[in-house]
Structures are given as structure tokens and as C-alpha cells.
Amino acid sequence: MLIELGIPLLAAIFFEINALIIAAMIVGFVTHQLTALWDTTFASHKRSNTPIEQQVHSFLELMPLMAMVIVIILNWPQFLSLWGLGSGPARYELALKREPLPWTYVAAFLFAVLLFEVLPYMEEFVRGLRSRKRA
């Protein structure tokens, strides 16, 4: 699931936002939601899902949606062109940002992803492996 959202997110950080990046975001988001639904369905038969856990996951699902909506709003003509609407043509090329984001922003963001996404995932993964060995 991290990859499903990570690829479009990194693309939005480093490349110009166009129809291709917006399409990647939409595909990543839909794929992420389908994986989350499958994961929840699978987990609900294996263990208890507390209301707090469900609430946390519900909140976490809103963050990529809101990020995608903000990107779409800020790049509305390219979003419309993705569907064959609007006045301009859809652009599907990968072009590095003309004005890159400040390196401090990118570094802080990537550090936050490592701290709040990758490390907790790895801890849960290791905990799952240990649990499997005990069973």
C-alpha cells in the first residue's frame, strides 16, 4: 500500500503536475482503497478490529484523498483534459519541475515519511513475523 501511494506522491514532488501525474494519483488512490478493503476483510476474520483502529484507518484514508483533491484543484485544466474536457490538451510527459521544491521541504517530507510510515510498517511487519513463528 505504501508503494501504491508512494509512486504518485514522489512523482508529484519531482515532476510537473499534468494529466499523467493526476492519472497516476487516481490509479494509486483507487488501488490503495481496494487493497485497504481487501486487507480489512482479511483481517476481520483473523483478529479483532477495535473502533479506535477503525477510526485511525478512516482518518489515514482521508489524507491521500485530500492531497489528491488539492492537486486536482490546483491543476484543474489538466484534470479536465484527462477526461477529454476543457480547452487545453492533456499532457502525458514526465518533465522535472521547472521550479523544484526547496530541498529542505523535500528532505523534511521524506524524513516524516520514514518516521511515520516506513518505520511503523517495518515494526508491524517484524511483529507479524514473530507472531507467525510462535504460532
Side-chain angles (χ1 to χ4, degrees), residues 78-108:
Q78 279 300 294
F79 176 72
L80 289 178
S81 69
L82 184 61
W83 310 105
L85 305 170
S87 57
R91 294 188 326 271
Y92 295 102
E93 68 276 351
L94 283 178
L96 290 174
K97 287 188 180 290
R98 282 171 263 158
E99 295 182 31
L101 296 172
W103 71 268
T104 52
Y105 173 85
V106 174

mmCIF file of all heavy atoms in Angstrom, residues 78-108:
data_model
loop_
_atom_site.group_PDB
_atom_site.id
_atom_site.type_symbol
_atom_site.label_atom_id
_atom_site.label_comp_id
_atom_site.label_asym_id
_atom_site.label_seq_id
_atom_site.Cartn_x
_atom_site.Cartn_y
_atom_site.Cartn_z
ATOM 1 N N GLN A 78 -5.645 20.496 -16.420
ATOM 2 C CA GLN A 78 -5.094 19.183 -16.767
ATOM 3 C C GLN A 78 -6.015 18.056 -16.314
ATOM 4 O O GLN A 78 -6.104 17.021 -16.977
ATOM 5 C CB GLN A 78 -3.696 19.004 -16.185
ATOM 6 C CG GLN A 78 -2.619 19.658 -17.005
ATOM 7 C CD GLN A 78 -2.560 19.088 -18.416
ATOM 8 O OE1 GLN A 78 -2.239 17.923 -18.620
ATOM 9 N NE2 GLN A 78 -2.870 19.912 -19.400
ATOM 10 N N PHE A 79 -6.705 18.244 -15.194
ATOM 11 C CA PHE A 79 -7.678 17.237 -14.757
ATOM 12 C C PHE A 79 -8.804 17.127 -15.773
ATOM 13 O O PHE A 79 -9.188 16.018 -16.161
ATOM 14 C CB PHE A 79 -8.233 17.585 -13.373
ATOM 15 C CG PHE A 79 -9.310 16.653 -12.908
ATOM 16 C CD1 PHE A 79 -9.008 15.361 -12.524
ATOM 17 C CD2 PHE A 79 -10.632 17.063 -12.870
ATOM 18 C CE1 PHE A 79 -9.995 14.487 -12.098
ATOM 19 C CE2 PHE A 79 -11.637 16.202 -12.446
ATOM 20 C CZ PHE A 79 -11.307 14.913 -12.066
ATOM 21 N N LEU A 80 -9.333 18.266 -16.203
ATOM 22 C CA LEU A 80 -10.396 18.240 -17.215
ATOM 23 C C LEU A 80 -9.912 17.604 -18.509
ATOM 24 O O LEU A 80 -10.629 16.815 -19.133
ATOM 25 C CB LEU A 80 -10.905 19.658 -17.487
ATOM 26 C CG LEU A 80 -11.731 20.306 -16.388
ATOM 27 C CD1 LEU A 80 -12.113 21.726 -16.795
ATOM 28 C CD2 LEU A 80 -12.963 19.489 -16.061
ATOM 29 N N SER A 81 -8.683 17.932 -18.907
ATOM 30 C CA SER A 81 -8.164 17.385 -20.171
ATOM 31 C C SER A 81 -7.985 15.870 -20.101
ATOM 32 O O SER A 81 -8.055 15.194 -21.119
ATOM 33 C CB SER A 81 -6.840 18.059 -20.538
ATOM 34 O OG SER A 81 -5.816 17.667 -19.641
ATOM 35 N N LEU A 82 -7.779 15.356 -18.897
ATOM 36 C CA LEU A 82 -7.656 13.911 -18.713
ATOM 37 C C LEU A 82 -8.919 13.196 -19.181
ATOM 38 O O LEU A 82 -8.873 12.060 -19.651
ATOM 39 C CB LEU A 82 -7.381 13.612 -17.236
ATOM 40 C CG LEU A 82 -7.126 12.182 -16.799
ATOM 41 C CD1 LEU A 82 -5.891 11.622 -17.486
ATOM 42 C CD2 LEU A 82 -6.969 12.125 -15.302
ATOM 43 N N TRP A 83 -10.054 13.857 -19.050
ATOM 44 C CA TRP A 83 -11.351 13.285 -19.419
ATOM 45 C C TRP A 83 -11.841 13.786 -20.771
ATOM 46 O O TRP A 83 -12.991 13.590 -21.126
ATOM 47 C CB TRP A 83 -12.382 13.593 -18.342
ATOM 48 C CG TRP A 83 -11.871 13.238 -16.986
ATOM 49 C CD1 TRP A 83 -11.435 14.099 -16.024
ATOM 50 C CD2 TRP A 83 -11.701 11.925 -16.452
ATOM 51 N NE1 TRP A 83 -10.997 13.394 -14.923
ATOM 52 C CE2 TRP A 83 -11.151 12.061 -15.153
ATOM 53 C CE3 TRP A 83 -11.944 10.646 -16.944
ATOM 54 C CZ2 TRP A 83 -10.848 10.966 -14.343
ATOM 55 C CZ3 TRP A 83 -11.642 9.564 -16.133
ATOM 56 C CH2 TRP A 83 -11.100 9.729 -14.854
ATOM 57 N N GLY A 84 -10.957 14.474 -21.514
ATOM 58 C CA GLY A 84 -11.331 14.992 -22.825
ATOM 59 C C GLY A 84 -12.159 16.262 -22.742
ATOM 60 O O GLY A 84 -12.814 16.640 -23.707
ATOM 61 N N LEU A 85 -12.136 16.923 -21.610
ATOM 62 C CA LEU A 85 -12.888 18.155 -21.416
ATOM 63 C C LEU A 85 -11.913 19.324 -21.328
ATOM 64 O O LEU A 85 -10.704 19.134 -21.280
ATOM 65 C CB LEU A 85 -13.727 18.063 -20.135
ATOM 66 C CG LEU A 85 -14.671 16.854 -20.042
ATOM 67 C CD1 LEU A 85 -15.249 16.735 -18.646
ATOM 68 C CD2 LEU A 85 -15.769 16.963 -21.075
ATOM 69 N N GLY A 86 -12.434 20.495 -21.266
ATOM 70 C CA GLY A 86 -11.575 21.664 -21.113
ATOM 71 C C GLY A 86 -11.037 22.148 -22.434
ATOM 72 O O GLY A 86 -11.276 21.564 -23.490
ATOM 73 N N SER A 87 -10.275 23.225 -22.369
ATOM 74 C CA SER A 87 -9.809 23.865 -23.590
ATOM 75 C C SER A 87 -8.427 23.395 -24.042
ATOM 76 O O SER A 87 -8.104 23.469 -25.216
ATOM 77 C CB SER A 87 -9.774 25.382 -23.387
ATOM 78 O OG SER A 87 -8.942 25.693 -22.285
ATOM 79 N N GLY A 88 -7.607 22.941 -23.116
ATOM 80 C CA GLY A 88 -6.245 22.544 -23.477
ATOM 81 C C GLY A 88 -6.094 21.048 -23.646
ATOM 82 O O GLY A 88 -6.914 20.259 -23.181
ATOM 83 N N PRO A 89 -5.006 20.640 -24.309
ATOM 84 C CA PRO A 89 -4.747 19.209 -24.478
ATOM 85 C C PRO A 89 -4.155 18.596 -23.198
ATOM 86 O O PRO A 89 -3.499 19.274 -22.418
ATOM 87 C CB PRO A 89 -3.722 19.163 -25.608
ATOM 88 C CG PRO A 89 -2.991 20.464 -25.483
ATOM 89 C CD PRO A 89 -4.007 21.465 -24.994
ATOM 90 N N ALA A 90 -4.396 17.328 -23.018
ATOM 91 C CA ALA A 90 -3.803 16.601 -21.893
ATOM 92 C C ALA A 90 -2.319 16.411 -22.175
ATOM 93 O O ALA A 90 -1.918 16.087 -23.288
ATOM 94 C CB ALA A 90 -4.486 15.258 -21.711
ATOM 95 N N ARG A 91 -1.502 16.640 -21.144
ATOM 96 C CA ARG A 91 -0.061 16.424 -21.277
ATOM 97 C C ARG A 91 0.301 15.154 -20.512
ATOM 98 O O ARG A 91 -0.075 14.986 -19.358
ATOM 99 C CB ARG A 91 0.710 17.637 -20.743
ATOM 100 C CG ARG A 91 0.487 18.894 -21.560
ATOM 101 C CD ARG A 91 1.399 20.053 -21.162
ATOM 102 N NE ARG A 91 1.731 20.140 -19.755
ATOM 103 C CZ ARG A 91 1.018 20.812 -18.845
ATOM 104 N NH1 ARG A 91 -0.081 21.435 -19.196
ATOM 105 N NH2 ARG A 91 1.411 20.851 -17.584
ATOM 106 N N TYR A 92 1.041 14.274 -21.170
ATOM 107 C CA TYR A 92 1.395 12.986 -20.582
ATOM 108 C C TYR A 92 2.907 12.767 -20.504
ATOM 109 O O TYR A 92 3.359 11.650 -20.438
ATOM 110 C CB TYR A 92 0.755 11.847 -21.384
ATOM 111 C CG TYR A 92 -0.744 11.839 -21.321
ATOM 112 C CD1 TYR A 92 -1.498 12.323 -22.384
ATOM 113 C CD2 TYR A 92 -1.406 11.359 -20.201
ATOM 114 C CE1 TYR A 92 -2.879 12.317 -22.324
ATOM 115 C CE2 TYR A 92 -2.789 11.359 -20.134
ATOM 116 C CZ TYR A 92 -3.513 11.834 -21.207
ATOM 117 O OH TYR A 92 -4.869 11.838 -21.133
ATOM 118 N N GLU A 93 3.685 13.828 -20.506
ATOM 119 C CA GLU A 93 5.137 13.657 -20.449
ATOM 120 C C GLU A 93 5.631 13.809 -19.009
ATOM 121 O O GLU A 93 5.033 14.502 -18.204
ATOM 122 C CB GLU A 93 5.849 14.664 -21.354
ATOM 123 C CG GLU A 93 5.752 16.113 -20.889
ATOM 124 C CD GLU A 93 4.475 16.839 -21.309
ATOM 125 O OE1 GLU A 93 3.714 16.284 -22.116
ATOM 126 O OE2 GLU A 93 4.240 17.946 -20.805
ATOM 127 N N LEU A 94 6.733 13.120 -18.724
ATOM 128 C CA LEU A 94 7.399 13.291 -17.435
ATOM 129 C C LEU A 94 8.430 14.395 -17.600
ATOM 130 O O LEU A 94 9.406 14.232 -18.325
ATOM 131 C CB LEU A 94 8.098 11.997 -17.001
ATOM 132 C CG LEU A 94 7.220 10.901 -16.434
ATOM 133 C CD1 LEU A 94 8.052 9.671 -16.110
ATOM 134 C CD2 LEU A 94 6.476 11.367 -15.195
ATOM 135 N N ALA A 95 8.180 15.509 -16.939
ATOM 136 C CA ALA A 95 9.101 16.643 -17.001
ATOM 137 C C ALA A 95 9.403 17.085 -15.577
ATOM 138 O O ALA A 95 8.486 17.311 -14.789
ATOM 139 C CB ALA A 95 8.478 17.783 -17.800
ATOM 140 N N LEU A 96 10.696 17.184 -15.256
ATOM 141 C CA LEU A 96 11.071 17.660 -13.927
ATOM 142 C C LEU A 96 10.488 19.050 -13.708
ATOM 143 O O LEU A 96 10.320 19.826 -14.660
ATOM 144 C CB LEU A 96 12.587 17.699 -13.788
ATOM 145 C CG LEU A 96 13.284 16.338 -13.721
ATOM 146 C CD1 LEU A 96 14.793 16.529 -13.741
ATOM 147 C CD2 LEU A 96 12.860 15.569 -12.489
ATOM 148 N N LYS A 97 10.167 19.359 -12.461
ATOM 149 C CA LYS A 97 9.608 20.668 -12.134
ATOM 150 C C LYS A 97 10.554 21.772 -12.592
ATOM 151 O O LYS A 97 11.754 21.701 -12.362
ATOM 152 C CB LYS A 97 9.373 20.792 -10.633
ATOM 153 C CG LYS A 97 8.197 19.984 -10.135
ATOM 154 C CD LYS A 97 7.917 20.323 -8.682
ATOM 155 C CE LYS A 97 6.750 19.533 -8.148
ATOM 156 N NZ LYS A 97 5.462 19.898 -8.679
ATOM 157 N N ARG A 98 9.997 22.794 -13.247
ATOM 158 C CA ARG A 98 10.803 23.945 -13.657
ATOM 159 C C ARG A 98 11.357 24.659 -12.438
ATOM 160 O O ARG A 98 12.488 25.119 -12.443
ATOM 161 C CB ARG A 98 9.964 24.904 -14.505
ATOM 162 C CG ARG A 98 9.808 24.414 -15.949
ATOM 163 C CD ARG A 98 8.809 25.253 -16.676
ATOM 164 N NE ARG A 98 7.573 24.459 -16.560
ATOM 165 C CZ ARG A 98 6.354 24.923 -16.666
ATOM 166 N NH1 ARG A 98 6.144 26.175 -16.883
ATOM 167 N NH2 ARG A 98 5.328 24.117 -16.561
ATOM 168 N N GLU A 99 10.537 24.768 -11.410
ATOM 169 C CA GLU A 99 10.963 25.344 -10.137
ATOM 170 C C GLU A 99 10.840 24.251 -9.080
ATOM 171 O O GLU A 99 9.770 24.054 -8.515
ATOM 172 C CB GLU A 99 10.105 26.548 -9.771
ATOM 173 C CG GLU A 99 10.248 27.711 -10.728
ATOM 174 C CD GLU A 99 9.412 28.898 -10.292
ATOM 175 O OE1 GLU A 99 9.220 29.084 -9.078
ATOM 176 O OE2 GLU A 99 8.959 29.618 -11.188
ATOM 177 N N PRO A 100 11.922 23.509 -8.832
ATOM 178 C CA PRO A 100 11.847 22.404 -7.863
ATOM 179 C C PRO A 100 11.460 22.901 -6.476
ATOM 180 O O PRO A 100 11.708 24.050 -6.114
ATOM 181 C CB PRO A 100 13.256 21.836 -7.853
ATOM 182 C CG PRO A 100 13.964 22.428 -9.017
ATOM 183 C CD PRO A 100 13.254 23.672 -9.391
ATOM 184 N N LEU A 101 10.843 22.015 -5.733
ATOM 185 C CA LEU A 101 10.529 22.344 -4.348
ATOM 186 C C LEU A 101 11.834 22.523 -3.582
ATOM 187 O O LEU A 101 12.843 21.901 -3.912
ATOM 188 C CB LEU A 101 9.701 21.211 -3.729
ATOM 189 C CG LEU A 101 8.327 20.984 -4.353
ATOM 190 C CD1 LEU A 101 7.703 19.716 -3.782
ATOM 191 C CD2 LEU A 101 7.416 22.163 -4.126
ATOM 192 N N PRO A 102 11.834 23.362 -2.557
ATOM 193 C CA PRO A 102 13.070 23.540 -1.771
ATOM 194 C C PRO A 102 13.546 22.208 -1.193
ATOM 195 O O PRO A 102 12.743 21.396 -0.736
ATOM 196 C CB PRO A 102 12.638 24.495 -0.659
ATOM 197 C CG PRO A 102 11.393 25.152 -1.142
ATOM 198 C CD PRO A 102 10.734 24.185 -2.067
ATOM 199 N N TRP A 103 14.859 22.005 -1.233
ATOM 200 C CA TRP A 103 15.412 20.733 -0.763
ATOM 201 C C TRP A 103 15.079 20.500 0.698
ATOM 202 O O TRP A 103 14.921 19.355 1.117
ATOM 203 C CB TRP A 103 16.909 20.656 -1.031
ATOM 204 C CG TRP A 103 17.738 21.558 -0.171
ATOM 205 C CD1 TRP A 103 18.135 22.832 -0.451
ATOM 206 C CD2 TRP A 103 18.239 21.263 1.127
ATOM 207 N NE1 TRP A 103 18.847 23.340 0.590
ATOM 208 C CE2 TRP A 103 18.936 22.409 1.582
ATOM 209 C CE3 TRP A 103 18.186 20.148 1.967
ATOM 210 C CZ2 TRP A 103 19.547 22.459 2.824
ATOM 211 C CZ3 TRP A 103 18.800 20.210 3.209
ATOM 212 C CH2 TRP A 103 19.473 21.350 3.624
ATOM 213 N N THR A 104 14.959 21.576 1.497
ATOM 214 C CA THR A 104 14.625 21.395 2.915
ATOM 215 C C THR A 104 13.216 20.830 3.064
ATOM 216 O O THR A 104 12.973 19.986 3.926
ATOM 217 C CB THR A 104 14.740 22.722 3.683
ATOM 218 O OG1 THR A 104 13.977 23.725 3.009
ATOM 219 C CG2 THR A 104 16.185 23.175 3.782
ATOM 220 N N TYR A 105 12.301 21.274 2.214
ATOM 221 C CA TYR A 105 10.938 20.758 2.230
ATOM 222 C C TYR A 105 10.928 19.281 1.856
ATOM 223 O O TYR A 105 10.315 18.462 2.530
ATOM 224 C CB TYR A 105 10.057 21.563 1.264
ATOM 225 C CG TYR A 105 8.679 20.993 1.090
ATOM 226 C CD1 TYR A 105 7.662 21.300 1.978
ATOM 227 C CD2 TYR A 105 8.389 20.133 0.038
ATOM 228 C CE1 TYR A 105 6.392 20.769 1.831
ATOM 229 C CE2 TYR A 105 7.134 19.585 -0.119
ATOM 230 C CZ TYR A 105 6.133 19.917 0.780
ATOM 231 O OH TYR A 105 4.892 19.373 0.633
ATOM 232 N N VAL A 106 11.619 18.953 0.774
ATOM 233 C CA VAL A 106 11.662 17.563 0.304
ATOM 234 C C VAL A 106 12.313 16.672 1.352
ATOM 235 O O VAL A 106 11.803 15.585 1.675
ATOM 236 C CB VAL A 106 12.384 17.459 -1.054
ATOM 237 C CG1 VAL A 106 12.553 16.005 -1.472
ATOM 238 C CG2 VAL A 106 11.630 18.237 -2.124
ATOM 239 N N ALA A 107 13.422 17.107 1.922
ATOM 240 C CA ALA A 107 14.116 16.312 2.939
ATOM 241 C C ALA A 107 13.245 16.128 4.175
ATOM 242 O O ALA A 107 13.154 15.019 4.721
ATOM 243 C CB ALA A 107 15.438 16.975 3.313
ATOM 244 N N ALA A 108 12.592 17.196 4.629
ATOM 245 C CA ALA A 108 11.719 17.095 5.805
ATOM 246 C C ALA A 108 10.548 16.166 5.529
ATOM 247 O O ALA A 108 10.171 15.348 6.377
ATOM 248 C CB ALA A 108 11.216 18.479 6.210
#
